[in-house]
Amino acid sequence: MEVYEAIRTRRTVRQYKPDAVPESVIMKILRAGRWSPSSSNSQPWNFVVVTDPATIARLAEVATQGPFIADAPLVIAIVMVPDAPRPQLDAGRALQQMELVAWDEGLGTCFVGVRVEEQQVGVKEILGIPDDYHLITLMPYGYRTGQPSGRASVPRKPMSEIAHRNHFGTPYETA
Amino acid sequence: MEVYEAIRTRRTVRQYKPDAVPESVIMKILRAGRWSPSSSNSQPWNFVVVTDPATIARLAEVATQGPFIADAPLVIAIVMVPDAPRPQLDAGRALQQMELVAWDEGLGTCFVGVRVEEQQVGVKEILGIPDDYHLITLMPYGYRTGQPSGRASVPRKPMSEIAHRNHFGTPYETA
């Protein structure tokens, strides 16, 4: 899929087929994360690839924001090293590349934040993540149950509201 | 360009041809940002599109981390609304989609952080960005001076160091 088309058609997906994701596809997703740029080339990411059904079930119980995790055959936890200069931003860059490659492979995902302190503690305990690492998200992945509609993404704010020309407050409009 | 190929070949670019970036290409880059997912669908991004040479010259003077901004025909400031739930992470997701679409169009960019307080103040003053907005980065864009090498990205940490199977500390290795 062309990059612009992947970006245009991508949707957040919370329902997954039970089919396992092949190792070769998992590796493509991991490479897409590893190839992302990072602040001062710090490469601060760690990816915990979870395919064990019992572990996924436990994660779904703790991460109550994302109960659909329970139905995913694959969960990847994005974890940043303790001294990462921009853990949130660099995580965003990596996981977006991962999501786009996954989309191209027929998979969907949905960001699950696990921001609540007790969820952080619970997920770290289940996955053995050291306390001082930044747990950013659990990303469940699975094959999509429906066909992409081919329409552009769900409604967005109008471009005139979010894009400015040369100075904030001057709407960007094409000539 | 296929999405995986764009991600594989993308490089950080700090040298730009002086050629203007057509409005149609700028609009594609903006759409790629606007189509990115965001926390609770907050759509917190603002994009200040700077093509005025005098303004770009002033930005380059203030953002000393990115003197190469001076040579770019286009700079896009990524600015998040004051109440954005995850400004850094959502910025990372949007700007990565923008970078990939730009790459596909023959353009390159480099993240410039402007983290220092006086740089934040200076850039906000130049662009008229309200104090309470989050200024995340200035992204200079321009046509690349060289050909992509076709090689995979610059050296990265080995996958065995950053990818774990089911539990942190258990290296992920394909079967």
Side-chain angles (χ1 to χ4, degrees):
Chain A
M1 196 184 291
E2 294 284 313
V3 58
Y4 188 73
E5 190 64 11
I7 287 171
R8 192 182 71 84
T9 58
R10 182 209 57 79
R11 295 290 185 291
T12 296
V13 174
R14 298 182 182 83
Q15 289 184 301
Y16 315 104
K17 294 182 186 173
D19 311 53
V21 181
E23 296 274 354
S24 60
V25 174
I26 295 175
M27 189 53 78
K28 284 184 81 168
I29 295 170
L30 293 175
R31 285 196 200 105
R34 181 170 168 261
W35 285 336
S36 69
S38 58
S39 300
S40 307
N41 194 27
S42 52
Q43 305 181 46
W45 347 267
N46 278 253
F47 309 112
V48 186
V49 181
V50 185
T51 53
D52 175 57
T55 305
I56 290 176
R58 290 178 66 200
L59 291 174
E61 280 176 26
V62 171
T64 52
Q65 187 200 332
F68 42 85
I69 286 176
D71 302 319
L74 167 67
V75 176
I76 301 180
I78 313 277
V79 181
M80 307 301 262
V81 297
D83 60 350
R86 287 180 176 268
Q88 296 284 334
L89 187 123
D90 287 347
R93 303 187 85 171
L95 67 89
Q96 202 52 32
Q97 296 206 150
M98 297 166 80
E99 180 168 356
L100 290 171
V101 162
W103 182 260
D104 186 34
E105 294 284 340
L107 299 163
T109 186
C110 177
F111 182 94
V112 178
V114 292
R115 296 188 93 168
V116 178
E117 178 64 20
E118 62 192 9
Q119 296 184 359
Q120 282 271 325
V121 171
V123 171
K124 283 184 171 181
E125 187 176 305
I126 293 167
L127 298 181
I129 298 165
D131 280 350
D132 55 349
Y133 279 61
H134 304 271
L135 168 64
I136 308 292
T137 177
L138 298 175
M139 302 289 289
Y141 287 94
Y143 287 98
R144 305 189 290 268
T145 54
Q147 290 294 316
S149 67
R151 287 180 300 116
S153 297
V154 289
R156 292 286 193 268
K157 293 179 182 174
M159 193 64 90
S160 59
E161 187 179 317
I162 60 172
H164 313 255
R165 184 184 292 272
N166 286 314
H167 198 273
F168 192 95
T170 306
Y172 183 85
E173 290 165 18
T174 49
Chain B
M1 196 184 290
E2 294 284 314
V3 58
Y4 188 73
E5 190 63 10
I7 287 170
R8 193 182 70 85
T9 59
R10 183 208 56 80
R11 296 289 186 293
T12 296
V13 174
R14 297 181 183 85
Q15 289 183 302
Y16 315 104
K17 293 182 185 174
D19 312 54
V21 181
E23 295 275 354
S24 60
V25 173
I26 294 174
M27 190 53 79
K28 284 184 80 168
I29 295 170
L30 293 175
R31 285 198 200 104
R34 182 170 167 261
W35 285 336
S36 67
S38 58
S39 301
S40 306
N41 194 28
S42 52
Q43 306 183 44
W45 348 269
N46 279 253
F47 309 112
V48 187
V49 181
V50 185
T51 53
D52 174 57
T55 305
I56 289 175
R58 291 177 66 200
L59 292 174
E61 279 175 25
V62 171
T64 52
Q65 187 201 333
F68 43 86
I69 286 176
D71 302 320
L74 168 67
V75 175
I76 302 180
I78 312 278
V79 181
M80 308 300 263
V81 297
D83 59 350
R86 287 181 177 264
Q88 296 284 333
L89 186 122
D90 287 346
R93 303 186 85 170
L95 68 88
Q96 202 54 32
Q97 295 207 151
M98 297 166 80
E99 180 169 355
L100 290 171
V101 162
W103 182 260
D104 187 33
E105 294 285 340
L107 298 162
T109 187
C110 177
F111 183 95
V112 177
V114 294
R115 296 189 94 167
V116 179
E117 178 64 17
E118 61 191 9
Q119 296 185 359
Q120 283 270 326
V121 171
V123 170
K124 283 184 171 180
E125 188 176 303
I126 293 168
L127 298 180
I129 299 164
D131 280 351
D132 56 349
Y133 279 62
H134 303 272
L135 168 63
I136 308 291
T137 177
L138 298 174
M139 303 288 289
Y141 286 94
Y143 287 97
R144 305 189 289 268
T145 55
Q147 292 293 317
S149 67
R151 287 181 299 117
S153 298
V154 290
R156 290 286 192 269
K157 292 178 183 175
M159 193 66 89
S160 59
E161 188 178 315
I162 59 173
H164 313 254
R165 184 185 293 271
N166 287 314
H167 197 272
F168 192 95
T170 305
Y172 182 84
E173 290 165 22
T174 49

